[in-house]
Amino acid sequence: MPTPHAHTAYLLLGSNLGDRVVTLHRALLALAEKAGRIVAVSGVYETAAWGKEDQDSFLNQALQLSTDLAPEQLLDACQQVETALGRERLEPWGPRTLDVDILLYDDQIINTERLHVPHPRLPERRFALVPLADIAPALLHPQLRRPVAELLADCPDQLPVEPWLGDL
């Protein structure tokens, strides 16, 4: 009998190089294999690049994951999936085949050299809040003690985040 997964994590996938839809699909399959059971998946959104805006738009998707992995083990699994799908770390906020961010991990607050959870810029990023609100609008941010839907309503970021209308 399989053991129950002990932790709930929320991840954000992003891609703006190559076949973005295929990359997101492959990332979901790889994360299910390496990191745990996918409980919920948001819609796919086309989003303007944030931080370094002179690049192609991203496709973003959030997911809820049930995992037995500790936070840094989950980070390792996410980075392995990024690398397997062609991620090269050439410049901060630069173009990439795949980015996997850990947005939340249970209600933990984690600040290590490698990992900061909740994601420190989550309240400032519509491209993360919109898909997260698809699957967990009432989820409380563990530091701010505010639900995701409220963070989205108050988000200062006004960059476009539109439902992806292409083929899935």
Side-chain angles (χ1 to χ4, degrees):
M1 181 174 207
T3 58
H5 294 294
H7 304 283
T8 298
Y10 291 87
L11 309 180
L12 182 71
L13 309 179
S15 175
N16 79 333
L17 287 179
D19 190 330
R20 302 172 300 168
V21 172
V22 169
T23 298
L24 292 182
H25 181 71
R26 288 182 177 160
L28 289 172
L29 295 174
L31 287 164
E33 183 180 308
K34 289 188 173 297
R37 183 173 59 85
I38 295 174
V39 175
V41 180
S42 76
V44 175
Y45 291 88
E46 186 153 26
T47 65
W50 188 98
K52 186 177 184 315
E53 297 173 23
D54 62 338
Q55 58 183 311
D56 291 339
S57 62
F58 279 80
L59 290 186
N60 288 108
Q61 187 171 38
L63 64 100
Q64 178 186 348
L65 182 74
S66 181
T67 185
D68 290 328
L69 299 178
E72 294 219 358
Q73 291 174 314
L74 179 57
L75 176 63
D76 290 339
C78 291
Q79 290 178 342
Q80 289 167 10
V81 170
E82 288 176 341
T83 299
L85 293 176
R87 169 80 186 257
E88 295 179 324
R89 295 177 186 279
L90 303 176
E91 62 180 309
W93 297 325
R96 46 209 174 271
T97 54
L98 180 64
D99 188 33
V100 181
D101 287 335
I102 301 172
L103 301 177
L104 299 159
Y105 184 96
D106 291 335
D107 61 354
Q108 293 188 30
I109 298 169
I110 303 163
N111 287 301
T112 68
E113 189 175 310
R114 294 183 61 219
L115 183 61
H116 300 280
V117 175
H119 192 288
R121 288 177 292 281
L122 177 59
E124 305 162 18
R125 293 177 165 179
R126 283 180 50 81
F127 71 84
L129 289 168
V130 169
L132 185 58
D134 264 7
I135 57 174
L139 181 68
L140 285 182
H141 188 288
Q143 285 172 309
L144 303 175
R145 308 305 302 163
R146 296 175 64 202
V148 169
E150 192 176 294
L151 294 175
L152 176 57
D154 292 344
C155 183
D157 174 14
Q158 293 303 308
L159 290 173
V161 176
E162 302 293 337
W164 171 247
L165 301 176
D167 293 332
L168 292 179

